[in-house]
Amino acid sequence: MDHWKHDRSRNIPSRRTILRGLAALGIAAVAISSMASSASAQSLLERIKNGDTIRLGFSNGPPLAYPGPNNEPVGFVNAMTLDILKKLGTTKVEAVVAEWGSLIPGLKAGRFDIITGGMSILPERCRNVLFSEPISSDKNSLIVLKGNPEGLHSVEDLRDKGLTIVLPAGSSAVKEVQDLGFADDKVMQVAGPPEMVQAVKAGRAAGGSLDHMTAVKALDNSVELADPFISTIPADHAAIVFPLNEQPAVDAFNAVLKDYLGSDEMLRSAGKYGYTKADLPDGTTTAQACKG
């Protein structure tokens, strides 16, 4: 029995040994926690300059931003963003595709680092996120059935005829048509351009309002753009979107953007997706657009 006790005592660590081990584990845990905290405390600009992976959030909205065959970020807004991030220090990005209406909540929740969906600068959004200077200005178009059977040539035509308009959920156009007097039950909101086209084709909506570049890309043989189209909705000023606490990243991005906009490099990158000199910003600044 004494022999059994002796063997057991050799195989089971003493209380002092156990306490030492736990103390060592505690020190290691604190060190790991400290390292993780240090990494998370890095600003977005520091991470970009360090060459870290930056998560780009966008919805499926050609030609501005959409996922490629391997979920890579494509579209002219993504192309421009990739060029500028490279100049700032990183070529590593991760695409995070989300519905339009969940982009700002996702950014605020930390699901991604930057929104590259071509989001319009609006006063209410400026209270929740930071915008770069505008990367484009674009007027709206109206998607209608082939032949335009309802004779629609403005957003107001739909309102006056009591017809339903379809819009991307959470887009700036929702408030704009509500301000024009559309009844709530005449404003349909869907995930994005493909769903808008389907709603018009199925007769669930008579027309869909989109920025011109996106509308052209969304067309198929069943729908067309109303022509002529009289737009009373001001041109959109699209920009790249950052979290509220990342002003240094916005400043660095804008510094590169200033010389990049309109350059041969930019027009080559964005031109693959239909962006032309006609789509360049009209001179409106972010500060002005944030005031409304």
Side-chain angles (χ1 to χ4, degrees):
M1 186 173 284
D2 289 341
H3 178 69
W4 177 81
K5 284 184 178 180
H6 177 68
D7 285 346
R8 186 168 179 264
S9 66
R10 283 192 308 170
N11 293 333
I12 298 178
S14 68
R15 182 172 181 273
R16 180 177 295 178
T17 303
I18 292 173
L19 291 174
R20 285 175 181 170
L22 289 173
L25 286 172
I27 293 171
V30 169
I32 293 171
S33 175
S34 177
M35 290 171 63
S37 177
S38 175
S40 64
Q42 283 191 320
S43 70
L44 176 57
L45 182 58
E46 289 171 331
R47 291 171 51 216
I48 292 171
K49 288 183 174 180
N50 290 339
D52 294 347
T53 299
I54 304 303
R55 297 163 299 166
L56 308 181
F58 54 91
S59 59
N60 185 12
L64 286 80
Y66 56 102
N70 298 309
N71 204 46
E72 70 272 22
V74 294
F76 80 78
V77 183
N78 277 325
M80 295 168 70
T81 303
L82 294 176
D83 282 348
I84 294 177
L85 287 177
K86 183 177 181 180
K87 294 177 187 296
L88 290 173
T90 190
T91 58
K92 298 178 182 178
V93 297
E94 176 187 340
V96 183
V97 183
E99 289 191 2
W100 183 264
S102 66
L103 287 175
I104 287 180
L107 182 73
K108 295 174 73 173
R111 288 190 57 213
F112 29 83
D113 303 301
I114 301 173
I115 296 174
T116 58
M119 188 166 285
S120 298
I121 305 169
L122 299 174
E124 57 268 30
R125 289 175 179 165
C126 294
R127 292 189 283 271
N128 291 284
V129 295
L130 297 176
F131 286 92
S132 71
E133 287 302 317
I135 59 169
S136 68
S137 293
D138 200 359
K139 293 183 178 181
N140 282 358
S141 293
L142 187 67
I143 296 175
V144 296
L145 282 174
K146 202 77 171 180
N148 197 0
E150 296 287 352
L152 304 173
H153 296 287
S154 69
V155 169
E156 288 85 350
D157 283 346
L158 282 95
R159 177 199 62 195
D160 296 342
K161 295 182 179 184
L163 300 173
T164 297
I165 188 169
V166 61
L167 304 166
S171 71
S172 58
V174 174
K175 183 177 184 303
E176 288 164 351
V177 299
Q178 289 172 339
D179 290 344
L180 287 174
F182 275 78
D184 289 343
D185 64 349
K186 297 299 182 182
V187 180
M188 177 185 296
Q189 298 186 52
V190 296
E195 292 79 9
M196 291 176 63
V197 169
Q198 289 303 316
V200 174
K201 288 167 65 173
R204 292 183 288 118
S209 180
L210 273 175
D211 65 272
H212 183 73
M213 290 184 67
T214 305
V216 169
K217 191 74 174 180
L219 297 179
D220 64 19
N221 293 330
S222 301
V223 294
E224 64 185 24
L225 298 185
D227 184 24
F229 177 67
I230 302 169
S231 178
T232 55
I233 296 176
D236 287 328
H237 305 290
I240 312 301
V241 188
F242 298 80
L244 274 176
N245 62 338
E246 298 292 356
Q247 187 64 54
V250 178
D251 294 340
F253 193 94
N254 282 337
V256 176
L257 180 65
K258 185 176 180 180
D259 292 328
Y260 177 76
L261 272 177
S263 67
D264 291 341
E265 178 187 9
M266 190 221 77
L267 292 172
R268 280 195 304 271
S269 294
K272 300 174 186 176
Y273 305 100
Y275 189 107
T276 69
K277 289 183 178 180
D279 302 303
L280 286 167
D282 60 9
T284 300
T285 67
T286 295
Q288 291 169 336
C290 280
K291 291 178 181 178

